[in-house]
Amino acid sequence: MADGGSVGGSSDVEFATSTTHEWNHGLGETIAAAQRAGLVFDSLTEHDSAPWNALPGMMSEDAAGEWRLTADPRRLAAPFTLQAHKPVMPGVAGPSGMPA
């Protein structure tokens, strides 16, 4: 878990809520768990690089500081970003504690 003003290595965007949670799970496992939890997907983005050197000796850093496999970068299972939210049910307290 990390807490900071921006999300992503090269983003200039500031978020009001900036806590991120990171786990090493596959895309299918993550999607299925989010669906079981009743989350609604807002966006899903696969990235062709990672902001860290996940496989030392097998990756090359680009000019923006992102890391890709040196040989055939398409072979790497890409990091992804899933944004989702829990829908507010009428009459049920939302994040503020007040009923929706």
Side-chain angles (χ1 to χ4, degrees), residues 56-76:
M58 299 177 66
M59 300 185 85
S60 299
E61 187 175 14
D62 67 18
E66 292 284 307
W67 294 86
R68 292 177 175 79
L69 279 178
T70 302
D72 198 7
R74 296 170 292 163
R75 289 185 21 224
L76 180 64

Side-chain angles (χ1 to χ4, degrees), residues 37-98:
L39 298 178
V40 174
F41 301 146
D42 298 315
S43 68
L44 173 63
T45 306
E46 281 189 287
H47 306 282
D48 65 356
S49 63
W52 67 93
N53 185 359
L55 299 168
M58 299 177 66
M59 300 185 85
S60 299
E61 187 175 14
D62 67 18
E66 292 284 307
W67 294 86
R68 292 177 175 79
L69 279 178
T70 302
D72 198 7
R74 296 170 292 163
R75 289 185 21 224
L76 180 64
F80 60 90
T81 302
L82 171 65
Q83 292 180 317
H85 70 276
K86 187 89 170 186
V88 177
M89 305 297 284
V92 176
S96 68
M98 299 297 294

Side-chain angles (χ1 to χ4, degrees), residues 2-15 17-22 47 49-52 64-66 79-81 83:
D3 193 13
S6 68
V7 177
S10 61
S11 175
D12 292 331
V13 176
E14 289 286 326
F15 295 94
T17 304
S18 58
T19 301
T20 64
H21 300 270
E22 299 173 25
H47 306 282
S49 63
W52 67 93
E66 292 284 307
F80 60 90
T81 302
Q83 292 180 317

